[in-house]
Amino acid sequence: MKLFQTKQSYESENNNGREQLVSPGEALLETPKELAERVGVSAATVRKLIKAGKIEHVFLSDAKRNPKIPKGAWEAFLEQNTIRPDVPKA
């Protein structure tokens, strides 16, 4: 399986009726720069979150360089770190 594949190639390799993980043309992994551009933060911020272990990521080599962020990791980070206001109980 290729790491940077489109939905069409994913479906052709894994067409077993399960819900698809990606939309057509969407990658399964993003670089810090790609994620930063998509969500509107700096690549440095993404790299700091990776270094602090606050966002899911993978290294594709033993050198621990060029981290990749899996699809949904940013959304999971936001869910875990969103501070919700106290709502008075009625």
Side-chain angles (χ1 to χ4, degrees):
M1 183 168 102
K2 297 176 187 172
L3 293 174
F4 294 99
Q5 62 185 196
T6 64
K7 181 178 179 181
Q8 288 96 1
S9 66
Y10 183 83
E11 286 177 338
S12 67
E13 292 177 18
N14 300 294
N15 193 5
N16 53 12
R18 289 187 280 169
E19 182 179 342
Q20 298 304 312
L21 299 174
V22 293
S23 300
E26 188 177 8
L28 294 173
L29 298 171
E30 295 178 290
T31 65
K33 182 179 177 184
E34 290 167 339
L35 176 61
E37 289 172 354
R38 180 171 67 86
V39 301
V41 300
S42 70
T45 296
V46 174
R47 289 188 181 280
K48 285 178 188 176
L49 292 171
I50 290 169
K51 188 173 183 177
K54 294 186 176 192
I55 190 167
E56 293 178 24
H57 61 284
V58 295
F59 291 104
L60 303 178
S61 71
D62 292 336
K64 303 282 187 198
R65 292 184 181 169
N66 302 319
K68 305 291 187 245
I69 299 100
K71 177 176 174 32
W74 178 255
E75 291 74 13
F77 169 77
L78 289 179
E79 183 64 31
Q80 293 169 356
N81 292 281
T82 297
I83 300 169
R84 303 221 178 351
D86 291 332
V87 178
K89 294 182 181 177

